[in-house]
């Protein structure tokens, strides 16, 4: 008689919520998946994407065996080979590259497909192996770097509020974040706050699902958030509501920052942001007199040329209002500042200093000096800027490309070898939610199918084949998890038994009660460290490219932003038939005035284009975007949606800090497709 066994695990995906889940296993097969109702933050709810995770595990297009290329690069033509053959041939090729060109000729291109400390990005899985080979260092900057840097110049850390304390906030600013699509578990705490009388404002260029549910929506012009923050603070000063005692006791650089605020009166800020002056004033008055105010700002807000500056100024707001005094006050961007760093990457294994190659500069970086590109937990051809140049670089016959993958993505089509990768229910891992204060355990629930290997086991086997003798290359998954949890001050036994463990911080958590981890020990409105890095000394407004370019000087008239799709997580799940159906195909939201002037109608197939290229999408005529702005949700695989997605139009250009990407800072235009042109059928 068969019996069912519950196994505790964790969602591995690039989302702040990092849900604890329960897999039901019967006769060695995963037959059910649900959220763990005992987890204090995620409380048993999974998102529309992860609810279909077991479908993905069993998907007919899952890569289960090693593949070797037999056709031209990009053709996706492979032959199946054995795992032993694949690993032996790959090990031999890596050895020859190191001997002939040096280890720096290898670019280990890791992404955020899994955020685990054992198998994924949080623990820099594989880095010990790459260090032993002397490979180039990979700068994984695609997600949050500009905002992280902006916050560090003010607070010394990207860490801020415990999101659970939003239940105590009385004014909540959801700033550049679509909570109900990207991290919906926070909404429960927002609802708790509203039940106690809180007022909720969504500040976003798009009227999102979240904006629909807020008390107020401010449709800000893309790339002008720092100006709005300064305008709101101008009203706070007009109201005489700055917390002078907090400023005196806990901050530095106030006189300089106050002068910057006073240079941004609401009338000027209205011109910059496109918002009515009276609405800026009204929110400024509300901010001045509502304690505590909690601000939730996530990664979308910093994906433009002034993105780091935007987060820097927003981080200054609770320093002016004194909101850091209160539970429920402050800014929540990422709780990663409280997380462990993970297992020691063993940089001492490097035979000599090596160069760093930047993730968001893949097209530029793949020059002749790179002889091997090793892609794992990433789909750069679907997710990275300047898609057409990346495609051309991947087509180089002399570029040895290995992709560790679960599905036949566009990037896989350019691989010389494809190694089948495990999915989350098939390997051990430990996670930290960058939107909550918990470590979450993932116990393997079932055996890997076919010849799938975990990331760690793949590198252990390659190390053996290459004759590497460094003992740390062979640490077990359990040892790596233990090293991580020890850093976090969390018991491995407790975390494994319960499925999660709270970081050792107070409840309710009030950040910076003991001071700020800055050079001065205070919140820094003005930063000598920023000045030394060639940035403005004082936090201020740095306009994005699209915000500072006059209409007459624009190469194309519309500003494109690429928000998260509700049905996909980056490009993950974009091959799931049901979620593709729910996505209604690739879409571009166009304001009615812009649509009318271009002869576009709702549901029409169109091309969106600029000097970098084009992609095809169905037009959704909607006042959810302002005139002059179009929104094209990200995530569709190019090969399943006409050959390109919005990243074909995104410049390979840096934000102001951390070389962050500029997905929301590009000029485009939209035109109808001719009758003979084709687009993926609308489902």
């Amino acid at each position: 008689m068969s019996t069912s066994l519950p196994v505790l695990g964790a969602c591995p995906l690039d989302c702040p919520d990092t849900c604890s889940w329960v897999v039901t296993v019967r006769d060695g097969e995963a037959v059910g998946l649900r959220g763990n109702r005992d987890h204090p933050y995620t409380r048993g709810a999974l998102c529309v994407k992860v609810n279909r995770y077991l479908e993905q595990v069993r998907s007919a297009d899952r890569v289960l065996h090693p593949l070797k290329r037999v056709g031209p690069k990009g053709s996706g033509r492979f032959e199946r080979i054995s795992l032993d053959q694949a690993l032996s041939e790959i090990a031999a090729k890596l050895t020859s590259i190191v001997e002939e060109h040096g280890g720096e000729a290898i670019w280990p291109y890791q992404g955020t497909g899994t955020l685990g400390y054992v198998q994924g990005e949080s623990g820099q899985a594989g880095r010990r192996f790459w260090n032993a080979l002397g490979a180039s260092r990979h700068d994984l900057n695609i997600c949050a770097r500009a905002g992280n840097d902006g916050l560090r110049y003010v607070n010394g850390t990207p860490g801020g509020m415990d999101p659970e304390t939003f239940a105590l906030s009385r004014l909540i600013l959801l700033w550049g974040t679509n909570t109900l699509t990207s991290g919906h578990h926070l909404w429960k705490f927002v609802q708790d706050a509203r039940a106690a009388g809180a007022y909720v404002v969504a500040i976003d260029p798009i009227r999102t699902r979240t904006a629909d549910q807020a008390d107020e929506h401010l449709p800000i012009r893309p790339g002008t958030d720092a100006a709005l923050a300064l305008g709101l603070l101008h009203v706070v000063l007009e109201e005489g509501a700055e917390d002078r005692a907090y400023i005196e006791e806990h901050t530095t650089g106030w006189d300089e920052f106050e002068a910057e605020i006073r240079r941004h009166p609401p009338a000027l800020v209205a011109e910059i942001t496109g918002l009515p002056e009276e609405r800026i004033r009204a929110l400024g008055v509300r901010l001045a007199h509502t304690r505590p105010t909690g601000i939730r700002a996530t990664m979308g807000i910093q994906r433009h040329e002034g993105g780091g500056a935007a987060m820097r100024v927003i981080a200054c707001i609770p320093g002016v209002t004194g909101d850091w005094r209160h539970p429920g006050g402050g800014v929540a961007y990422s709780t990663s500042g409280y997380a462990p760093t993970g297992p020691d990457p063993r940089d001492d294994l490097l035979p000599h200093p090596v160069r760093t190659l930047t993730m968001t500069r893949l097209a530029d970086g793949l020059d002749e000096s790179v002889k091997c590109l090793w892609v794992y937990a990433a789909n750069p051809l679907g997710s990275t800027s300047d898609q057409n140049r990346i495609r051309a670089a991947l087509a180089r016959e002399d570029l040895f490309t290995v992709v560790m993958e679960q599905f036949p993505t566009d990037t896989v089509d350019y691989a010389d070898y494809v190694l089948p990768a495990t999915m989350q229910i098939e390997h051990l891992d430990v996670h930290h939610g960058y939107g909550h204060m918990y470590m979450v355990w993932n116990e393997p629930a079932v055996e890997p199918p076919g010849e799938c290997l975990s990331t760690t086991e793949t590198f252990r086997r390659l190390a053996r084949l290459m004759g590497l003798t460094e003992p740390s290359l062979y640490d077990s998954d359990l040892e790596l998890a233990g090293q991580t949890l020890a850093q976090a001050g969390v018991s491995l036994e407790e975390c494994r038994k319960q499925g999660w463990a709270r970081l050792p911080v107070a409840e309710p958590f009030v950040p910076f009660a003991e001071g700020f981890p800055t050079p001065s020990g205070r919140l820094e409105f003005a930063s000598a460290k920023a000045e030394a890095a060639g940035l403005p000394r004082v936090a201020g407004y740095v306009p994005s490219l699209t915000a500072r370019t006059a209409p007459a000087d624009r190469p194309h008239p519309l500003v494109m932003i690429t928000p998260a799709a509700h049905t996909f997580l980056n490009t993950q799940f974009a091959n799931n038939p049901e979620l593709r159906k729910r996505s209604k195909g690739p879409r571009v939201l166009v304001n009615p005035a812009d649509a009318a002037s271009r002869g576009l109608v709702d549901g029409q197939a169109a091309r969106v284009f600029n000097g970098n290229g084009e992609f095809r999408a169905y037009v959704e005529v909607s006042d959810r975007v302002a005139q002059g702005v179009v929104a094209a949700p990200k995530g569709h695989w190019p090969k399943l949606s006409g050959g390109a997605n919005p990243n074909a139009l995104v410049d390979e250009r840096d934000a102001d800090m951390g070389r962050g990407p500029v997905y929301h800072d590009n000029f485009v235009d939209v035109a109808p497709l001719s009758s003979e042109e084709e687009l993926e059928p609308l489902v």
Side-chain angles (χ1 to χ4, degrees):
M1 182 177 178
S2 62
T3 58
S4 297
L5 174 70
V7 180
L8 296 172
C11 177
L13 304 180
D14 186 10
C15 165
D17 292 6
T18 310
C19 293
S20 176
W21 70 29
V22 182
V23 183
T24 301
V25 178
R26 184 182 303 124
D27 298 331
E29 181 182 357
V31 297
L33 177 70
R34 62 172 175 83
N36 183 356
R37 300 181 185 95
D38 295 330
H39 191 276
Y41 188 78
T42 59
R43 299 181 184 177
L46 300 176
C47 68
V48 66
K49 302 171 277 286
V50 175
N51 270 321
R52 311 196 83 87
Y53 194 81
L54 293 187
E55 283 183 16
Q56 288 295 94
V57 170
R58 296 189 288 261
S59 178
D61 65 344
R62 177 102 185 255
V63 177
L64 298 177
H65 302 279
L67 303 173
K68 183 176 181 178
R69 179 169 65 92
V70 294
K73 287 201 170 188
S75 67
R77 289 170 51 199
F78 299 96
E79 64 177 359
R80 174 179 165 180
I81 60 175
S82 72
L83 184 61
D84 286 345
Q85 179 185 347
L87 293 177
S88 295
E89 292 179 2
I90 290 169
K93 183 66 174 178
L94 288 176
T95 298
S96 69
I97 289 172
V98 172
E99 290 176 350
E100 184 175 352
H101 304 285
E104 285 182 287
I106 301 170
W107 186 349
Y109 193 96
Q110 182 180 22
T112 59
T114 174
L115 300 188
Y117 281 97
V118 178
Q119 309 296 345
E121 176 265 347
S122 295
Q124 305 174 75
R127 184 159 159 188
R128 292 178 182 180
F129 174 77
W130 299 121
N131 283 342
L133 297 186
S136 293
R137 183 163 292 175
H138 175 61
D139 182 18
L140 205 160
N141 69 328
I142 199 166
C143 186
R145 183 68 60 75
N148 281 347
D149 285 4
L151 285 161
R152 285 193 179 97
Y153 287 128
V154 178
N155 296 333
T157 171
M161 293 173 64
D162 176 353
E164 291 181 55
T165 63
F166 274 99
L168 305 173
S169 303
R170 292 300 168 261
L171 173 62
I172 297 175
L173 306 183
L174 300 173
W175 205 321
T177 183
N178 184 6
T179 300
L180 290 173
T181 284
S182 302
H184 70 97
H185 297 86
L186 179 67
W187 195 252
K188 295 186 295 292
F189 301 96
V190 173
Q191 288 177 312
D192 290 344
R194 291 178 95 173
Y199 190 79
V200 179
V201 181
I203 303 170
D204 199 301
I206 309 171
R207 195 174 77 248
T208 62
R209 292 169 180 262
T210 303
D212 283 340
Q213 298 299 317
D215 296 301
E216 182 178 1
H217 171 222
L218 292 180
I220 191 170
R221 185 171 289 145
T224 64
D225 303 275
L228 176 59
L230 292 166
L232 295 176
L233 289 174
H234 195 285
V235 178
V236 171
L237 296 185
E238 289 177 352
E239 294 287 303
E242 69 273 22
D243 188 332
R244 287 282 176 175
Y246 188 87
I247 291 169
E248 177 67 26
E249 294 168 13
H250 299 287
T251 76
T252 184
W254 168 244
D255 290 345
E256 296 168 85
F257 186 56
E258 181 183 11
E260 184 69 16
I261 293 170
R262 295 195 183 279
R263 283 192 283 271
H264 290 82
L268 173 62
V269 170
E271 294 178 12
I272 294 170
T273 63
L275 298 171
E277 180 182 349
E278 60 271 19
R279 295 192 67 189
I280 297 170
R281 287 192 175 277
L283 182 57
V285 170
R286 193 180 291 274
L287 172 64
H289 300 293
T290 309
R291 304 277 77 75
T293 289
I295 303 172
R296 175 64 164 165
T298 54
M299 289 66 205
I301 200 172
Q302 44 94 66
R303 289 179 176 148
H304 60 80
E305 277 193 11
M311 279 309 309
R312 187 179 176 192
V313 177
I314 289 169
C316 291
I317 292 175
V320 178
T321 61
D323 272 296
W324 284 126
R325 294 182 185 274
H326 312 290
V331 177
Y333 177 70
S334 169
T335 58
S336 59
Y338 308 118
T341 57
D344 184 352
R346 295 297 310 275
D347 289 344
D348 61 299
L349 299 178
L350 286 166
H352 51 74
V354 297
R355 65 181 176 177
T356 296
L357 297 171
T358 302
M359 185 177 196
T360 54
R361 288 296 194 134
L362 181 59
D364 279 347
L366 275 181
D367 59 23
E368 297 297 321
S369 69
V370 179
K371 302 301 181 183
C372 171
L373 180 71
W374 189 290
V375 180
Y376 56 122
N379 180 18
L381 197 46
S383 297
T384 308
S385 308
D386 213 342
Q387 191 171 89
N388 291 329
R389 288 180 62 222
I390 291 174
R391 191 184 299 275
L394 290 176
R396 274 176 43 204
E397 279 295 330
D398 68 327
L399 177 66
F400 180 62
T401 302
V402 178
V403 179
M404 298 163 65
E405 248 298 351
Q406 299 156 353
F407 299 101
T409 65
D410 290 81
T411 305
V412 161
D413 288 346
Y414 287 82
D416 293 290
Y417 289 85
V418 183
L419 294 176
T422 48
M423 295 184 70
Q424 185 75 345
I425 66 171
E426 300 153 4
H427 56 229
L428 185 147
D429 215 332
V430 63
H431 294 257
H432 170 257
Y434 64 88
H436 59 62
M437 304 293 282
Y438 299 90
M439 302 299 296
V440 190
W441 184 268
N442 185 77
E443 189 75 16
V446 296
E447 291 296 318
E451 296 176 278
C452 295
L453 291 182
S454 68
T455 302
T456 48
E457 182 60 19
T458 299
F459 289 124
R460 283 190 287 258
R461 294 195 189 189
L462 284 168
R464 288 190 188 97
L465 287 168
M466 297 180 73
L468 302 178
T469 58
E470 164 56 41
S472 68
L473 300 180
Y474 303 99
D475 281 0
S476 70
D477 291 354
L478 192 60
E479 288 172 321
L480 295 169
Q483 292 161 20
T484 299
L485 292 173
Q487 286 182 5
V490 166
S491 162
L492 186 151
E493 292 74 19
E494 174 196 351
C495 192
R496 192 175 194 179
K497 180 180 178 180
Q498 185 172 244
W500 53 271
R502 185 172 171 85
L503 292 170
V505 297
E507 294 185 70
F509 179 58
V510 180
F512 315 125
E514 306 300 323
F516 292 80
T518 57
S520 66
R522 294 167 170 250
L523 182 148
E524 297 192 349
F525 296 123
S527 167
K529 192 173 181 180
E531 187 176 31
L535 297 166
R537 171 178 166 79
V538 182
Y541 171 47
V542 175
S544 67
L545 172 69
T546 54
R548 69 173 182 265
T549 305
D553 297 329
R554 296 181 174 188
H556 296 88
L558 303 174
V559 177
M560 181 182 73
I561 55 180
T562 60
H566 193 69
T567 51
F568 308 145
L569 197 296
N570 300 326
T571 63
Q572 290 174 287
F573 298 100
N575 61 325
N576 182 285
E578 177 59 27
L579 293 175
R580 288 181 65 211
K581 181 179 179 180
R582 293 188 189 186
S583 77
K584 299 181 180 179
R587 292 177 299 127
V588 58
L589 277 68
V590 183
N591 181 270
D594 292 322
S597 66
R598 289 163 174 77
L600 299 169
V601 298
D602 198 63
Q604 179 177 22
R607 54 188 290 262
V608 187
F609 62 93
N610 63 16
N612 294 330
E614 68 174 61
F615 70 95
R616 297 175 179 187
Y618 290 101
V619 172
E620 183 176 326
V621 179
S622 174
D623 63 359
R624 288 185 176 275
V625 291
Q627 189 172 355
V629 177
V630 296
K634 66 181 180 179
H636 285 277
W637 287 11
K639 67 181 180 180
L640 299 182
S641 52
N645 69 19
N647 289 330
L649 279 60
V650 175
D651 294 337
E652 193 173 73
R653 177 166 40 90
D654 295 341
D656 54 337
M657 299 179 192
R659 304 197 73 181
V662 293
Y663 291 112
H664 304 325
D665 195 16
N666 298 275
F667 291 116
V668 305
D669 208 344
V670 186
L673 284 180
S674 61
S675 57
E676 64 271 14
E677 293 178 296
E678 295 182 354
L679 181 60
E680 174 192 13
L682 186 61
V683 291

